[in-house]
Amino acid sequence: MRIAKISERIAYIGVNDRRTALFENNWPIPYGVSYNSYIIKDQKNVLIDTVEYGSDGEFLSKIATTLNGAALDYLVVNHMEPDHSGMLLSVLAKYPAVKIIGNAKTFELLQKYYGISQENFFLVTDGYELNIGSSVLKFVCVPWVHWPETMVTLDLKESVLFSCDAFGGYGSLDGGIFDSDYNFEEMFLPEMRRYYSNIVSKYNQMVTRAIGKLSGVPVKIIAPSHGVIWKENPAKVIGLYSDWAASKAEEGVVIVYASMYGNTANLADQIGSKLSEQGIKNIRTYDVSRTHVSYILSDIMRYNGFILGTCAYNTYMHPMMEHLCNEIRIMSPKGKTTGIFGTSGWNGAGVKALTQFAEEAKLNVISPVVEALGAPTPEKVEASLQEFAVAFAKAIKNNM
Ligand code: FEO
């Protein structure tokens, strides 16, 4: 049973989940994920969020061990999504007098999901301050980071920000719990970026707004509900989230293709070679039928250009490319330079569908579209490839 000390008053009682294959039954988590939960011990004892139901058979024991016979007075629900509220009913069954702290939207959702009685509710509004003895907890609403009810909690005595999904990432806590315990760039940065692109990036504007709202608040420790706790360098994760929310990107290109018999894959490689000749050094090419969109979206967020290619399929684009396009539409990446290519047997339907998608998604598409009927031989594509590569490389070099 891992109970770790954050300070004399604050304990970590979270859990690693390496059993779930797909987070939200959608996103691969080969390095697992942590559900972080905390207890503040004071004159009033406070549990900050719970963990996903069934992820930790020892969760209630951790609470009891940490409290050491004292009462549990409050349970703060920063975010109602069941990866954090899943053990709420179990906590309530063991501590029936506990007051559940949330805002009006939290309780609306809690009643819908769990049918909890209003007797247990302790309603707070944005900016509400609760005296718990030696400290005061302040609740700040940050809607849509990541659901409408989301809020964060500040322990004003120790300047600890319990931020729930914000400043979190995929990846279990395989050693310590703090940023200083890890080689962050190697062990967590790629998974944090992928988490942001998959889960949070749709809400970029809300993230920027939330960071602005918290900018005047002194924060010494950021304790999110997924991933490492930022004690040594909380400014680093604020900087990362600020940059991602502002769509800051590195110079580079992601080439993604859907290919049935290799012609579109061949064209993707030709495009990569031409861009390399133009001096582009960060080029990553994916077969969308092979690599989960989770990873592709992460690199689309990371770099300032992406190029989509498809074969024609049932008079449309390939269904795996259609899936990616739908995710791009949801993610709505800003400031990217885009290209389109493809092959077909007779009518170019795939490229037509990609072009229509790009128009509807208001993507900045560089001309010309590179297209071939049948095999993409040099006599069919060389001229358009060269023209496209020069224009695309120039665009992403200027788009920094
Ligand atoms: Fe980690 Fe939006 O829940």
CSV table of all heavy atoms in Angstrom, one decimal, residues 33 41 61 78 99 101 166 197 207 232-234 248 267 311 319 329 364 367 376 397:
chain,number,residue,atom,x,y,z
A,33,VAL,N,-1.6,4.7,-16.3
A,33,VAL,CA,-2.1,6.0,-15.9
A,33,VAL,C,-2.2,6.0,-14.4
A,33,VAL,O,-2.4,4.9,-13.8
A,33,VAL,CB,-3.4,6.4,-16.6
A,33,VAL,CG1,-4.6,5.6,-16.1
A,33,VAL,CG2,-3.7,7.9,-16.4
A,41,LYS,N,-4.8,16.7,6.2
A,41,LYS,CA,-5.1,16.5,7.6
A,41,LYS,C,-5.0,17.8,8.3
A,41,LYS,O,-4.0,18.5,8.3
A,41,LYS,CB,-4.2,15.5,8.3
A,41,LYS,CG,-4.4,14.0,7.8
A,41,LYS,CD,-3.6,13.0,8.6
A,41,LYS,CE,-4.2,12.8,9.9
A,41,LYS,NZ,-3.5,11.8,10.7
A,61,SER,N,-8.7,1.6,2.7
A,61,SER,CA,-7.7,1.3,3.7
A,61,SER,C,-6.7,2.5,3.8
A,61,SER,O,-6.3,2.8,4.9
A,61,SER,CB,-7.0,0.0,3.5
A,61,SER,OG,-7.9,-1.1,3.5
A,78,ASN,N,-13.4,17.8,-7.4
A,78,ASN,CA,-12.9,18.8,-8.4
A,78,ASN,C,-13.5,18.5,-9.7
A,78,ASN,O,-13.7,19.5,-10.5
A,78,ASN,CB,-11.4,18.8,-8.4
A,78,ASN,CG,-10.7,19.6,-7.3
A,78,ASN,OD1,-11.3,20.6,-6.9
A,78,ASN,ND2,-9.6,19.1,-6.9
A,99,LYS,N,-19.2,15.5,4.1
A,99,LYS,CA,-19.8,16.5,3.3
A,99,LYS,C,-19.1,16.5,1.9
A,99,LYS,O,-17.8,16.6,1.9
A,99,LYS,CB,-19.8,17.9,3.9
A,99,LYS,CG,-20.6,18.0,5.1
A,99,LYS,CD,-22.1,18.0,4.7
A,99,LYS,CE,-23.0,18.1,5.9
A,99,LYS,NZ,-24.4,17.7,5.6
A,101,ILE,N,-18.0,18.3,-1.3
A,101,ILE,CA,-17.9,19.7,-1.8
A,101,ILE,C,-17.8,19.8,-3.3
A,101,ILE,O,-17.1,19.1,-3.9
A,101,ILE,CB,-16.6,20.4,-1.2
A,101,ILE,CG1,-16.7,20.5,0.3
A,101,ILE,CG2,-16.3,21.7,-1.8
A,101,ILE,CD1,-15.4,21.0,1.0
A,166,ALA,N,-6.2,19.2,-15.2
A,166,ALA,CA,-5.3,20.2,-15.7
A,166,ALA,C,-3.9,19.9,-15.1
A,166,ALA,O,-3.7,19.5,-14.0
A,166,ALA,CB,-5.7,21.6,-15.2
A,197,SER,N,-3.1,16.3,-26.1
A,197,SER,CA,-3.7,16.3,-27.5
A,197,SER,C,-5.0,15.5,-27.5
A,197,SER,O,-6.0,15.9,-28.2
A,197,SER,CB,-2.7,15.8,-28.5
A,197,SER,OG,-2.5,14.4,-28.4
A,207,VAL,N,-8.4,26.3,-21.3
A,207,VAL,CA,-7.2,26.1,-20.6
A,207,VAL,C,-6.5,27.5,-20.4
A,207,VAL,O,-6.0,27.8,-19.3
A,207,VAL,CB,-6.3,25.1,-21.3
A,207,VAL,CG1,-4.9,25.0,-20.6
A,207,VAL,CG2,-6.9,23.7,-21.3
A,232,GLU,N,9.2,20.5,-7.5
A,232,GLU,CA,10.5,21.2,-7.8
A,232,GLU,C,10.3,22.4,-8.8
A,232,GLU,O,10.9,23.4,-8.6
A,232,GLU,CB,11.5,20.2,-8.3
A,232,GLU,CG,12.9,20.8,-8.6
A,232,GLU,CD,13.9,19.8,-9.1
A,232,GLU,OE1,13.8,19.4,-10.3
A,232,GLU,OE2,14.7,19.3,-8.3
A,233,ASN,N,9.5,22.1,-9.8
A,233,ASN,CA,9.4,23.1,-10.9
A,233,ASN,C,8.0,23.2,-11.4
A,233,ASN,O,7.8,22.9,-12.6
A,233,ASN,CB,10.4,22.7,-12.0
A,233,ASN,CG,10.6,23.8,-13.0
A,233,ASN,OD1,10.1,24.9,-12.8
A,233,ASN,ND2,11.3,23.6,-14.1
A,234,PRO,N,7.0,23.7,-10.6
A,234,PRO,CA,5.7,23.8,-11.1
A,234,PRO,C,5.5,24.7,-12.3
A,234,PRO,O,4.7,24.6,-13.2
A,234,PRO,CB,4.9,24.3,-9.9
A,234,PRO,CG,5.9,24.8,-9.0
A,234,PRO,CD,7.1,24.1,-9.2
A,248,LYS,N,1.4,26.6,-29.8
A,248,LYS,CA,2.8,26.7,-30.2
A,248,LYS,C,3.3,25.4,-30.7
A,248,LYS,O,3.0,24.4,-30.1
A,248,LYS,CB,3.6,27.2,-29.0
A,248,LYS,CG,3.3,28.7,-28.7
A,248,LYS,CD,4.3,29.3,-27.7
A,248,LYS,CE,4.0,30.7,-27.4
A,248,LYS,NZ,4.7,31.2,-26.2
A,267,LEU,N,3.6,7.2,-52.4
A,267,LEU,CA,3.5,8.6,-52.6
A,267,LEU,C,3.9,9.4,-51.3
A,267,LEU,O,4.6,10.4,-51.4
A,267,LEU,CB,2.1,9.0,-53.1
A,267,LEU,CG,1.9,10.4,-53.7
A,267,LEU,CD1,2.9,10.8,-54.7
A,267,LEU,CD2,0.5,10.5,-54.3
A,311,CYS,N,-6.1,6.7,-50.4
A,311,CYS,CA,-6.6,6.1,-51.6
A,311,CYS,C,-8.1,6.3,-51.7
A,311,CYS,O,-8.7,6.8,-50.7
A,311,CYS,CB,-6.4,4.6,-51.6
A,311,CYS,SG,-7.1,3.7,-50.1
A,319,PRO,N,-11.8,4.5,-44.8
A,319,PRO,CA,-12.5,4.7,-43.5
A,319,PRO,C,-11.5,5.0,-42.4
A,319,PRO,O,-11.9,5.7,-41.4
A,319,PRO,CB,-13.2,3.4,-43.3
A,319,PRO,CG,-12.7,2.4,-44.3
A,319,PRO,CD,-12.2,3.2,-45.5
A,329,ARG,N,-11.1,17.1,-36.8
A,329,ARG,CA,-12.2,18.1,-36.7
A,329,ARG,C,-12.5,18.4,-35.2
A,329,ARG,O,-12.7,19.6,-34.9
A,329,ARG,CB,-13.4,17.5,-37.4
A,329,ARG,CG,-14.6,18.5,-37.5
A,329,ARG,CD,-15.8,17.8,-38.2
A,329,ARG,NE,-16.2,16.6,-37.4
A,329,ARG,CZ,-16.9,16.6,-36.3
A,329,ARG,NH1,-17.2,17.7,-35.7
A,329,ARG,NH2,-17.2,15.4,-35.7
A,364,ASN,N,-5.4,25.3,-43.7
A,364,ASN,CA,-4.6,26.1,-44.6
A,364,ASN,C,-3.9,25.1,-45.6
A,364,ASN,O,-2.8,24.7,-45.3
A,364,ASN,CB,-3.6,27.0,-43.8
A,364,ASN,CG,-2.6,27.7,-44.7
A,364,ASN,OD1,-3.0,28.0,-45.9
A,364,ASN,ND2,-1.4,27.9,-44.3
A,367,SER,N,-1.1,24.3,-52.1
A,367,SER,CA,-1.3,23.8,-53.5
A,367,SER,C,0.1,23.4,-54.1
A,367,SER,O,1.1,24.0,-53.7
A,367,SER,CB,-1.9,24.8,-54.4
A,367,SER,OG,-3.2,25.0,-54.0
A,376,PRO,N,1.9,5.9,-58.6
A,376,PRO,CA,2.5,7.2,-58.6
A,376,PRO,C,3.9,7.3,-59.3
A,376,PRO,O,4.8,7.6,-58.6
A,376,PRO,CB,2.5,7.7,-57.2
A,376,PRO,CG,2.7,6.4,-56.4
A,376,PRO,CD,2.1,5.3,-57.2
A,397,LYS,N,8.5,26.8,-42.7
A,397,LYS,CA,9.7,27.5,-42.2
A,397,LYS,C,9.2,29.0,-41.8
A,397,LYS,O,9.8,29.6,-40.9
A,397,LYS,CB,10.8,27.6,-43.2
A,397,LYS,CG,11.5,26.3,-43.3
A,397,LYS,CD,12.6,26.3,-44.5
A,397,LYS,CE,13.3,25.0,-44.6
A,397,LYS,NZ,14.1,25.0,-45.8
